[in-house]
Amino acid sequence: RQDELKWNGWGYKDSVFHINKDDCVQYSGDRYSISGHEFPELRKWMVERCGVSLDDKTFSQNVPKAVDLPAIISNDAFVRDLSTTGVAVSMDAEDRLFRAHGHTLAELYDLRHGKFKRIPDIVAWPENHDHVVKIVQLASKHDVCIIPFGGGTTVSGALLCPENENRMILSLDTSEMDRILWVDPENFLAHVECGIIGQDLEQQLAEYGFCTGHEPDSMEFSSLGGWVATRSSGMKKNKYGNIEDMLIRVRMVTAKGTIEKSCQVPRMSTGPDIHHFILGSEGTLGVITEVTLKISPLPKCKRYGSIVFPKFENGVAFLKEIAAKRIAPASIRLLDNDQFQFGRNLRPPKTSIFARLADKLKTLYVVNFKGFDPNSLSLVTIVFEGTEEEVALQQKNIYAVASDHGGLNAGEESGKAGYMLTFSIAYLRDLGFDYSYMAESFETTLPWNKVIDACRNVKHVLLQKCKEHCVPCEPLATSRVTQVYDTGACVYFYFGFRYTGLEHPVEVYESIEQAARDEILACGGSLSHHHGVGKIRKQWLPQTVSTVGLQAVSAIKKELDPHNIFGCQNLFSKL
């Protein structure tokens, strides 16, 4: 996978948004439904809405050479003992750099224009649980720091090596631990190694007629172990649950031995649940090696849908009602007007005159006949799954509630396009970097009665702070609701600005996002819904879980890892 993926950006090397010779945005490769297509409206939107200057072309530095990377801190006795275990290792410069980072804006900017002060000194590829046990035992013996590495998609700074770490740092790459060890169709269980990538897990389970249904936006690249370590959530959580809902049993190797339950049952009443401190541990307590998951039969029917609402507020009220009635489909997302406009520009031109005519007629109906303002309407995209009968009932119920809130059925095509674009939209940030434009997303969970206020307030903070920092053009600040619950919802914010002329653009961005995060917490929101804490959000953890709560987590850390072998310094600083 390292050979297929970009070293300084998101995703596959052959999948890139670029300005072609005809001065049009085009998407290369053949992996996605939009691959090979041109997007004639996107260039105009980038220039007029985002303030991008296509004359302001910036270029990434080349892959750094070994002499340009931080020097290796070696523990020779550890390296010597490790070589006797049969575990593959490397101290190659590119192997070390590839595992030194995740995908925050700051990390990608440093890859393109800066450098890291500390990276792993050695990489190891265990092939099974027993290999991990040996590595952890040797690290404990020789006082070596371990940072587990799964898919590398973290957006919390979790993989960054602490600059003050003077011990040898080993990146424990779990990618060779990628097997489904067994499937139990009678009890709807699968036992899987931690390093398997989400997309591969679903493809292999499909051969048995099952799925997990867990589809985070990063599922092409993120690993099962990473899902557990960050308390992941997926796009279809309404039907299949979050990762904690499908977790039946987990094995985690710590500096003091392996933690695991004795049986694989749906529920136990045996005191505090050990899974609750493994979930979200973010590499601070040990290495997750194997996971038993609840699996589901593949759905016999899958359909897409979309609904247009006159305003974002109508869409929020609609989502709240379907959540209260417990009729939410597998996936349902609400886009604000800016995201709706962005989506309209991020689509290939219609090849058929009839398709183009149909689009014009739909627009005329929505805008002229129904009176929707194109500058305030919002869009919901939907995925229905189940039997034919279940899907038909879901559609009937959903569209009936939508009608009560002023919504109009916008068809299956828009819903499918919106869902599939999820997997390619992350590539756009790299195009922005090419033209001095930086963008990032961050998320939270909010009570229903705070969703609208928080969306408005956070956008106001983003715009105001950009003015204070003299950002040269009007920034893009948008929001969407991505997951719904009885008592609230997950809300994403997307934020970007042109950084031409700013001396320290990353510091400017971080200052603005910190202000936005303060506003989210002031509105009663969570620190994170599913991205985790890592290093970039840990300053807010005491006020989020209380000082006493954090002390309790720290006590578990001290007991399981008294010498801080798992010294990534996520969640809390060095103990």
Side-chain angles (χ1 to χ4, degrees):
R1 291 178 63 81
Q2 182 176 333
D3 294 334
E4 293 184 313
L5 302 181
K6 298 187 187 80
W7 75 274
N8 63 346
W10 178 264
Y12 297 106
K13 293 177 180 177
D14 60 8
S15 299
V16 180
F17 281 101
H18 65 282
I19 307 294
N20 64 19
K21 59 182 177 60
D22 298 320
D23 214 21
C24 184
V25 178
Q26 186 172 16
Y27 192 53
S28 64
D30 59 4
R31 297 177 184 272
Y32 304 96
S33 60
I34 64 171
S35 296
H37 287 288
E38 293 184 341
F39 303 88
E41 300 299 321
L42 184 57
R43 177 187 181 279
K44 180 181 178 182
W45 182 83
M46 289 169 58
V47 173
E48 295 183 358
R49 175 62 184 87
C50 301
V52 170
S53 171
L54 298 182
D55 296 325
D56 193 11
K57 177 75 171 175
T58 59
F59 298 91
S60 170
Q61 64 187 344
N62 295 323
V63 180
K65 298 178 181 178
V67 294
D68 298 320
L69 294 175
I72 292 174
I73 297 176
S74 184
N75 184 318
D76 294 340
F78 171 75
V79 175
R80 187 167 53 250
D81 284 356
L82 186 60
S83 68
T84 68
T85 63
V87 175
V89 299
S90 171
M91 299 173 80
D92 174 79
E94 288 191 29
D95 290 339
R96 295 166 56 219
L97 178 63
F98 188 82
R99 292 157 185 82
H101 63 87
H103 283 82
T104 65
L105 182 149
E107 289 166 303
L108 293 183
Y109 186 88
D110 280 344
L111 285 169
R112 293 173 64 94
H113 305 296
K115 60 183 179 180
F116 297 115
K117 295 180 180 179
R118 191 77 168 89
I119 68 173
D121 303 299
I122 187 171
V123 181
W125 288 270
E127 296 180 7
N128 52 52
H129 172 85
D130 291 340
H131 274 178
V132 175
V133 171
K134 291 178 182 177
I135 292 171
V136 174
Q137 287 175 343
L138 290 176
S140 298
K141 174 182 176 182
H142 294 288
D143 196 23
V144 168
C145 175
I146 294 176
I147 299 180
F149 182 92
T153 59
T154 173
V155 287
S156 67
L159 290 173
L160 289 172
C161 295
E163 295 176 12
N164 61 352
E165 181 54 79
N166 297 317
R167 300 173 295 177
M168 187 177 203
I169 298 176
L170 177 138
S171 175
L172 193 152
D173 188 320
T174 60
S175 59
E176 293 297 311
M177 299 172 62
D178 61 352
R179 293 170 290 271
I180 295 177
L181 299 178
W182 50 256
V183 172
D184 179 354
E186 184 175 1
N187 293 307
F188 300 99
L189 298 175
H191 191 66
V192 189
E193 290 180 316
C194 65
I196 195 167
I197 298 301
Q199 181 174 256
D200 298 335
L201 174 59
E202 294 300 84
Q203 289 174 350
Q204 292 178 37
L205 282 176
E207 296 175 7
Y208 295 90
F210 290 93
C211 67
T212 67
H214 193 69
E215 293 187 4
D217 292 1
S218 63
M219 71 172 293
E220 296 175 281
F221 310 109
S222 56
S223 70
L224 172 59
W227 294 352
V228 176
T230 57
R231 295 183 66 91
S232 173
S233 180
M235 292 183 280
K236 298 192 291 189
K237 80 95 198 162
N238 297 332
K239 180 175 177 65
Y240 301 99
N242 292 315
I243 192 64
E244 64 269 23
D245 301 311
M246 56 186 73
L247 182 68
I248 302 299
R249 185 170 179 260
V250 59
R251 301 183 86 185
M252 184 172 76
V253 179
T254 76
K256 283 198 169 183
T258 298
I259 295 178
E260 58 186 325
K261 293 182 179 180
S262 64
C263 56
Q264 297 175 138
V265 294
R267 191 175 189 275
M268 300 169 65
S269 178
T270 51
D273 192 338
I274 61 172
H275 287 175
H276 287 175
F277 66 76
I278 296 174
L279 284 156
S281 55
E282 299 191 19
T284 61
L285 302 180
V287 183
I288 294 162
T289 58
E290 297 174 9
V291 179
T292 304
L293 292 170
K294 178 180 66 175
I295 56 176
S296 302
L298 285 170
K300 295 180 179 180
C301 177
K302 175 186 287 189
R303 294 207 177 96
Y304 298 90
S306 62
I307 304 167
V308 63
F309 288 94
K311 293 183 178 180
F312 184 72
E313 289 82 357
N314 298 76
V316 172
F318 159 73
L319 293 182
K320 181 181 178 182
E321 183 171 344
I322 67 165
K325 290 183 173 180
R326 304 283 181 91
I327 58 171
S331 173
I332 188 162
R333 293 180 165 195
L334 170 66
L335 286 63
D336 72 2
N337 186 259
D338 267 322
Q339 289 219 0
F340 168 73
Q341 299 291 352
F342 167 61
R344 284 176 58 84
N345 289 293
L346 186 60
R347 62 180 183 179
K350 297 288 187 181
T351 55
S352 162
I353 188 171
F354 298 106
R356 293 197 297 270
L357 179 60
D359 271 357
K360 289 181 180 179
L361 290 174
K362 288 178 184 176
T363 302
L364 286 171
Y365 176 74
V366 170
V367 175
N368 294 346
F369 183 72
K370 297 298 292 185
F372 285 23
D373 181 352
N375 295 313
S376 64
L377 58 79
S378 62
L379 182 73
V380 164
T381 60
I382 309 169
V383 180
F384 301 99
E385 286 189 357
T387 64
E388 291 279 356
E389 295 78 13
E390 288 170 341
V391 167
L393 181 60
Q394 290 172 27
Q395 291 175 314
K396 177 183 177 182
N397 291 334
I398 291 297
Y399 292 123
V401 175
S403 180
D404 292 340
H405 292 276
L408 294 175
N409 186 338
E412 184 170 0
E413 183 182 350
S414 294
K416 184 174 183 179
Y419 190 80
M420 299 313 295
L421 278 175
T422 298
F423 300 111
S424 53
I425 196 171
Y427 289 90
L428 272 172
R429 182 166 63 172
D430 296 337
L431 177 63
F433 272 132
D434 289 341
Y435 295 95
S436 300
Y437 194 89
M438 53 176 49
E440 184 67 287
S441 65
F442 48 95
E443 39 71 64
T444 184
T445 326
L446 288 154
W448 281 117
N449 66 340
K450 300 291 187 179
V451 169
I452 293 171
D453 288 346
C455 289
R456 181 190 62 245
N457 292 358
V458 171
K459 290 176 188 177
H460 174 77
V461 167
L462 292 172
L463 297 176
Q464 184 62 37
K465 291 297 179 181
C466 281
K467 290 180 181 178
E468 293 177 11
H469 285 280
C470 300
V471 170
C473 298
E474 181 182 356
L476 180 70
T478 76
S479 59
R480 67 177 176 181
V481 180
T482 60
Q483 281 107 328
V484 299
Y485 299 85
D486 293 357
T487 58
C490 171
V491 176
Y492 259 90
F493 294 94
Y494 291 78
F495 170 54
F497 60 85
R498 182 181 170 190
Y499 61 86
T500 305
L502 298 179
E503 186 175 0
H504 302 291
V506 172
E507 287 84 348
V508 169
Y509 169 79
E510 289 176 343
S511 174
I512 295 171
E513 191 197 319
Q514 285 179 7
R517 182 66 58 184
D518 286 336
E519 181 61 31
I520 286 171
L521 296 179
C523 288
S526 68
L527 184 56
S528 174
H529 173 261
H530 58 271
H531 282 167
V533 176
K535 298 177 181 65
I536 68 173
R537 285 180 278 274
K538 65 182 179 182
Q539 62 179 298
W540 291 282
L541 199 55
Q543 74 182 84
T544 301
V545 300
S546 78
T547 300
V548 175
L550 188 58
Q551 289 172 344
V553 177
S554 299
I556 294 173
K557 164 71 173 175
K558 291 175 182 177
E559 177 61 31
L560 292 179
D561 189 17
H563 302 294
N564 198 33
I565 299 304
F566 295 96
C568 57
Q569 296 187 29
N570 297 331
L571 304 180
F572 27 67
S573 299
K574 189 174 182 179
L575 301 177

